[in-house]
Amino acid sequence: MELLATNVCFDGEHRRYRHSSATLQCDMEFAVFLPPSALGEEGKPAPVLYWLSGLTCTDQNFMQKAGAQKLAARLGLAIVCPDTSPRGVDLPGEHDSYDFGSGAGFYVNATEQPWAPHYRMYDYVVKELPQLVENELPLSGERSVSGHSMGGHGALICALKNPGYYKSVSAFAPIANPMACPWGQKAFKGYLGDDQSKWEAWDATRLIPTAKERLPLLVDQGTADEFLETQLNPETLADVCEKFHHHINLRMHRGYDHSYFFIASFIDDHLNHHARALGLA
């Protein structure tokens, strides 16, 4: 882990690191917020919220725009923000569109060429990155996961596919049923191939019926979100949760859009949701 930058923030530290990822076969950058309670000789290892960002984002969007650090510092909660795709591998067509390739890893493990050797963001965010940061930083090993849009989809599938690994899960405007929307169909076809039966392992609505752990889902969605009708499908997720008795708190917020203004407005609710599950509140 190479430290790229550090900023004091609410008596904690925001740090950016670079490391060589064996999973993705490239160098990756990520951000960490460490609360003041985890720093210094008397510091106590902190539980961590893994935040997964959306299309076109990097590790920096959430840290700079969400306004999460003040409450996280008070709660004693660390935050880890990975990037959203491999970087620097320069595959053919990787940079041609905003919703596939660079900045659009979709938190799956690609099986199609030329993506398969590098686009394994699921293994990266579930396995490699947590192992790295929990070994090297003052983190307790207690985890929660959240995210926005593509990252909301990522948070949901990470929790549903790994019973016992996370204490809680939440999402802002997640791509809740990617098999049924243009963003998801494009990504899944490119990364996973034409066989849609292989897509089901990466779609929250298809994972709910057989979930072995039923963590309550906190999902916030704005009614003025420009992608609500065409890409996000929160009602489909709510319907399958109701059918299979999986608790979901789907909150529709009148007038809010898809931006970080929306996330900043309700991030404290999500931090408190995770803090309760992690024993911090």
Side-chain angles (χ1 to χ4, degrees), residues 49-219:
L49 173 65
Y50 288 89
W51 173 268
L52 307 183
S53 292
L55 290 167
T56 75
C57 290
T58 68
D59 62 283
Q60 299 184 68
N61 299 73
F62 178 84
M63 289 299 196
Q64 293 180 1
K65 296 181 178 181
Q69 293 93 338
K70 184 175 183 178
L71 180 55
R74 191 162 76 238
L75 291 168
L77 178 66
I79 303 171
V80 172
C81 294
D83 205 342
T84 53
S85 77
R87 302 286 178 173
V89 293
D90 294 325
L91 301 175
E94 185 181 22
H95 311 305
D96 290 354
S97 59
Y98 79 95
D99 55 356
F100 184 79
S102 182
F106 258 83
Y107 305 102
V108 303
N109 287 338
T111 55
E112 296 296 298
Q113 297 299 331
W115 314 101
H118 301 286
Y119 276 70
R120 304 182 60 81
M121 287 300 295
Y122 173 79
D123 277 355
Y124 178 72
V125 301
V126 172
K127 299 176 182 178
E128 185 180 23
L129 185 60
Q131 182 177 20
L132 176 69
V133 297
E134 291 169 16
N135 284 340
E136 297 291 333
L137 297 174
L139 304 175
S140 70
E142 299 284 291
R143 308 172 199 92
S144 292
V145 64
S146 186
H148 171 233
S149 194
M150 178 185 73
H153 141 77
L156 293 173
I157 64 167
C158 286
L160 290 166
K161 290 165 74 71
N162 294 279
Y165 192 72
Y166 301 101
K167 296 294 186 182
S168 53
V169 57
S170 71
F172 287 85
I175 304 173
N177 186 194
M179 292 181 66
C181 76
W183 278 342
Q185 291 164 354
K186 180 177 181 178
F188 285 7
K189 183 175 182 179
Y191 296 136
L192 305 172
D194 293 327
D195 183 354
Q196 294 193 16
S197 67
K198 297 179 179 178
W199 300 4
E200 295 183 357
W202 307 101
D203 187 315
T205 65
R206 301 301 180 96
L207 294 171
I208 289 288
T210 57
K212 295 181 179 179
E213 180 183 43
R214 301 201 174 274
L215 292 176
L217 307 183
L218 172 60
V219 177

Side-chain angles (χ1 to χ4, degrees), residues 5-67:
T6 183
N7 309 92
V8 175
C9 185
F10 296 104
D11 293 325
E13 288 186 13
H14 165 258
R15 301 177 183 176
R16 296 191 71 237
Y17 288 97
R18 180 188 293 124
H19 76 113
S20 178
S21 168
T23 301
L24 307 180
Q25 298 182 28
C26 64
D27 286 346
M28 293 293 288
E29 296 178 359
F30 64 92
V32 180
F33 174 72
L34 294 173
S37 58
L39 300 174
E41 293 183 2
E42 303 297 322
K44 177 182 177 182
V48 58
L49 173 65
Y50 288 89
W51 173 268
L52 307 183
S53 292
L55 290 167
T56 75
C57 290
T58 68
D59 62 283
Q60 299 184 68
N61 299 73
F62 178 84
M63 289 299 196
Q64 293 180 1
K65 296 181 178 181

Side-chain angles (χ1 to χ4, degrees), residues 248-260:
I248 183 170
N249 182 9
L250 173 60
R251 309 192 307 179
M252 303 297 294
H253 299 280
R254 185 172 180 82
Y256 283 90
D257 60 18
H258 200 69
S259 71
Y260 267 86

